[in-house]
Every structure is written in C-alpha cells, then in structure tokens.
Amino acid sequence: MDRCRACRAPSSTPVSRRAGTARTGTVTGPGCSTATALSFASCRNDSVRFGAPAHSRPMRSTLMQLADFRWFLSAQVVSLLGSSMAPVALAFGVLDASGSTSDLGVVLTAHMVPLLAFLLVGGAVADRLPRRTVLVAAHLGSALARGGVAALLLTGRYALLPVAALAFLGGVLAAFTTPALRGIVPQLVPGVRVRQANALLASVRNSTKILGPSLSGIVVAVAGGGPAIAFDALTYLLAAGFLARLSLAAAPTSPRPSSRMLADIRDGWTAFRHVRWVWTVSLCFCVINLVQVGTWQILGPVLTRQLSGEEAWGFVLSARGIGMLVMSALMYRLVVRHLLRLGQLMSVLGALPLLALGARLPAPWLIAVALVAGLGSSIAAVGWETSLQEHIPAHMLSRVSSYDDLLSYIAIPIGQLGVGLLADRFGGFQVAATAGLIYAVAAVLPLASAAVRRLPHASDAATRTTV
C-alpha cells in the first residue's frame, strides 16, 4: 500500500504555525487527550469542492512562489528519480556481480533491518535538531553509501561484506530521512497549502515510480547496474545541495524540551497512543501491509502470468501507477471537509486487484481495477499525510510519524515471508482473495471511530468555489 511515507511512501502534519493555519493550543478533540496540544481546523460545510479563485478575497501566493518549497521540490524530484531507479539497478548489479540470489537477499535485508531498528531514533532526532540539517546530512551520507556500492561494481571488486555494510549504512540514514521529510513540509508552506504541497509531492513521487524503473532498466541493459547506482548517488548529492538552500534553521520549539533521547522517544509514544485517530489508522495499515504487499509483489506476477501471460503484469502495474498519478494531480485542487474520512473510505479500493486475482478475472478487468486502486491509494496517501501535518504539533510530528512508519514497515517482511507458505498450503488464488477481503475490512474498520470520521481538514475557504 502506498501511503507515501515515503512513500503511505513514503512519502511524505503543529503548536506553532505560519499565518493562515489552524488554531493551536491545548484542546479536547476527537481521539486526543486534554493533555495533548494539538491543532484543529474549523470547517464550515461538508461539500466536496475544487479550488478556484474567490473574487471576494485576494489569492494567497502559490506554492511555486515560495522559495523554500521550490528548493525542497527540486530536491525531491532528483532524489526520488534516483531512488526509483535504484531497486532495479541494485538487483541486477548484485546478481550480475555475484550470480547469487542469496547475496541479493542479504543486501536487501541489511538495508531493511537498520531502517526498522533506528526509525524511532530518527524521529526523535528530526524533532530535536533542525530538519534541514538532518536531511542534508542524511542525503550526503546516502550519496557516500550509494557511491561506494557503485564503485565496487564499476571496478569489478564486488564482495558481499562491503556491499552489505554500505546497504546497512543506507538503511540507517533512511531511518533519519523519512521522519524528517514528513515533518518539514508544514515548515515550508502555510497551513492552508499543506494539502496542495502533499498533492504536488505525490505527483512527483508517482511520476518517478513510472519513469524511474523503465529508465533504470535501459541503463542496466546498456551499461550495467553500476552506472545506474552511480546516478542514484549523484541525485542524493544534488538533493543535498538543494536542501542546503532552505532558509530554515531552528528546530521546532518544544514546550517541554528533554535532554535525553530515550525521553524524547517515550514522549513520542505517549503522543502517538493518546491520539486515537492516529493509532487507529496506523493499525489499519499495519494489517493492510501485512496481507497486501507480499501477496501483490510475490503472488501478483505469478497468478497474472497463469491467467493472462507475463506481459499483462506490466500493464497492471502501469495502470495502477497512472491512477495514482492522475489522482495526486486532482488532489491539488480537491477540497473536502473531512479529508481523512474520504481517504480512508477510498483506501478500500486498494483491495480490488487482490479480489480480482482471487476471482481469476481476465487481464482487462485486472488492469481496470488496478487503475481504480491507484486512484484510491493516492487519495488515502495525501489525506493521511495532510491530516498528520495539520493536527500533530510540529515538535512531535517526526516522532509520531516514526511510530506510524514502524508499524507499517515491520508488517511487510512478515507478510512476504508468510505468503509463499500459505499459497503452497491453500493455493495462490485463494490466498489472494482472502487477502483482498482482509484488506477491505481493515480499511473500513477505522471509520467506525468518530475520531477518524469527524477529523476536520483545514481547507482554505478563500480559494474555493462549490462545483
């Protein structure tokens, strides 16, 4: 499930905000304790709207007129393009150099383990230090790690231990990058522009997901995995330069600063578990990732080949990517009072491809539902990012996000390990259908909570007209 993250992802939510943002202070709202300082936005109606100039008030400056956001967007464009090329390049680079799928498994595991292990630390650091500093340092470190892997492949000096060590370093740095990326967006744009910023960033992310793997495949076929990984290292370096241009300096101000990292992590857990709508939706996507990612990535191509041939799988993935790209572009202008509620409702559409596989539907139907699933996934991703950034205090945002990410990420390898065993025991089509049903139920269950249904979206009434 794509929820940006970093991505839900990424994927790419405050006590202190810029002008035009939601109210702040210690309040009692849906799903939060009275002791938690959260910001809530007032909205006046339930209509779904699309942004358009209102003649009664002057238009606020567009996102691209904000210098900091332009630099951040430029950093994301180049960084995400390199990152979208890396999986294909790394897989074929390691396989060509070692001839061993076991080596590739070790390298991928070496990246995932520290990502999970250091994610909470990364969230605490991103709340404690200036996020610009965290991101610049992490991108420079990632450039070094990727460059090291590229050098080993290009010079013919591949060895499993140094490549795995560099992958481990990359995983550590990713654990610091992800929470800082989500936390910095509300510092770059006014509160009423957060949804638009997330929609634009999602459009970039989805575009690179479509372009990057194809471009990487061409580079790998012509020159091998080494040059493609070297390009990824260069994009990290360029992104670090763009991020260094941000004018942000100070870290978000905490009302009760702590001198200990463990205390910061505990405070993040306290904030996470006291906001009902956050942990409710996070648990939902933990279950969704558990049943969806492994089933889709492992059984998806196998079952599609049995039904319609190998080429159909490429069309299915492309259709899903197109759906995500189209909806992320539309989300730039779509305004709805309860954005989280809409996103959660639309996330149910992500179950359709699994149900279609389980029902043994032919390729045209599978491609169609993949497109619809992409539309729903994009709404859910933008809705979630925006809701976090609008309602979680700035000094807690990265820590709360890190707990959300940890729940989502930790379920993925469990599902990937279990899906093959289940398919051998019950059959692939039955597993896909069951996964789809569990996905749909898990997606809709959070709507039973008033905290999820009633959470308001801080939309900008000055830039809306009713359709």
Side-chain angles (χ1 to χ4, degrees):
M1 180 66 186
D2 294 284
R3 254 207 313 157
C4 161
R5 310 270 182 202
C7 235
R8 108 175 162 310
S11 222
S12 340
T13 350
V15 169
S16 177
R17 287 283 200 97
R18 301 184 183 187
T21 63
R23 298 191 303 270
T24 60
T26 303
V27 298
T28 303
C32 69
S33 72
T34 56
T36 306
L38 299 177
S39 57
F40 287 87
S42 298
C43 298
R44 285 177 285 280
N45 59 63
D46 259 316
S47 301
V48 176
R49 304 166 182 260
F50 284 87
H55 299 293
S56 58
R57 301 182 187 179
M59 281 286 290
R60 290 185 174 90
S61 60
T62 64
L63 288 175
M64 299 312 295
Q65 290 176 320
L66 303 173
D68 277 349
F69 184 76
R70 288 201 307 271
W71 286 118
F72 181 74
L73 182 64
S74 300
Q76 285 292 91
V77 169
V78 297
S79 180
L80 288 171
L81 179 60
S83 295
S84 66
M85 295 175 61
V88 174
L90 182 64
F92 285 103
V94 172
L95 289 174
D96 289 343
S98 67
S100 170
T101 56
S102 297
D103 276 24
L104 180 59
V106 170
V107 171
L108 296 178
T109 302
H111 178 85
M112 178 59 71
V113 169
L115 172 60
L116 296 175
F118 288 92
L119 197 52
L120 300 182
V121 177
V125 169
D127 279 341
R128 175 184 286 261
L129 300 177
R131 290 178 179 130
R132 180 190 66 180
T133 303
V134 175
L135 288 173
V136 170
H139 278 70
L140 289 174
S142 296
L144 178 64
R146 291 293 190 188
V149 174
L152 290 172
L153 294 176
L154 290 171
T155 59
R157 297 181 178 180
Y158 168 85
L160 177 59
L161 183 59
V163 171
L166 290 168
F168 185 93
L169 174 60
V172 173
L173 293 167
F176 288 83
T177 302
T178 303
L181 282 174
R182 182 178 280 164
I184 202 172
V185 172
Q187 296 179 263
L188 301 174
V189 300
V192 294
R193 296 292 186 186
V194 167
R195 172 188 49 81
Q196 292 181 328
N198 284 323
L200 187 54
L201 292 168
S203 297
V204 169
R205 183 167 53 252
N206 293 329
S207 298
T208 59
K209 285 181 179 179
I210 296 173
L211 175 63
S214 300
L215 181 59
S216 181
I218 294 173
V219 174
V220 169
V222 173
I229 296 176
F231 177 78
D232 185 27
L234 177 61
T235 62
Y236 273 116
L237 195 61
L238 290 173
F242 290 142
L243 291 167
R245 298 296 299 270
L246 299 180
S247 61
L248 304 176
T253 302
S254 173
R256 291 177 298 176
S258 170
S259 59
R260 295 183 300 167
M261 184 66 65
L262 288 179
D264 284 349
I265 294 174
R266 285 197 302 268
D267 288 345
W269 169 248
T270 300
F272 177 82
R273 66 185 178 88
H274 274 82
V275 188
R276 181 172 300 170
W277 62 268
V278 171
W279 62 258
T280 300
V281 177
S282 294
L283 285 176
C284 145
F285 279 100
C286 178
V287 174
I288 286 175
N289 284 336
L290 179 67
V291 301
Q292 192 263 356
V293 176
T295 306
W296 185 248
Q297 291 182 346
I298 297 172
L299 294 185
V302 175
L303 300 181
T304 302
R305 181 174 58 185
Q306 294 179 24
L307 293 171
S308 308
E310 294 179 352
E311 68 280 358
W313 183 242
F315 288 113
V316 169
L317 294 181
S318 296
R320 187 170 185 272
I322 291 170
M324 294 179 67
L325 177 59
V326 169
M327 184 51 68
S328 59
L330 290 176
M331 286 297 291
Y332 185 85
R333 300 185 69 82
L334 179 69
V335 180
V336 62
R337 181 179 181 183
H338 297 289
L339 184 58
L340 181 62
R341 182 169 70 190
L342 175 65
Q344 200 62 36
L345 183 63
M346 292 298 101
S347 70
V348 179
L349 299 176
L352 292 179
L354 296 179
L355 294 173
L357 280 174
R360 303 171 188 256
L361 296 182
W365 282 102
L366 186 56
I367 292 170
V369 297
L371 176 68
V372 173
L375 297 173
S377 296
S378 192
I379 296 177
V382 174
W384 178 247
E385 295 291 324
T386 303
S387 297
L388 283 175
Q389 292 163 348
E390 287 179 344
H391 295 282
I392 301 300
H395 69 277
M396 279 288 181
L397 180 52
S398 292
R399 278 172 285 179
V400 171
S401 298
S402 68
Y403 278 100
D404 166 50
D405 290 336
L406 181 61
L407 271 178
S408 295
Y409 292 158
I410 204 168
I412 293 175
I414 298 174
Q416 289 172 326
L417 289 172
V419 69
L421 298 175
L422 292 172
D424 290 341
R425 176 68 175 83
F426 300 103
F429 292 104
Q430 288 78 4
V431 170
T434 303
L437 289 173
I438 295 173
Y439 185 128
V441 172
V444 77
L445 271 181
L447 294 172
S449 170
V452 175
R453 295 195 311 272
R454 298 175 183 172
L455 188 77
H457 166 44
S459 54
D460 182 9
T463 61
R464 295 180 292 157
T465 58
T466 305
V467 173

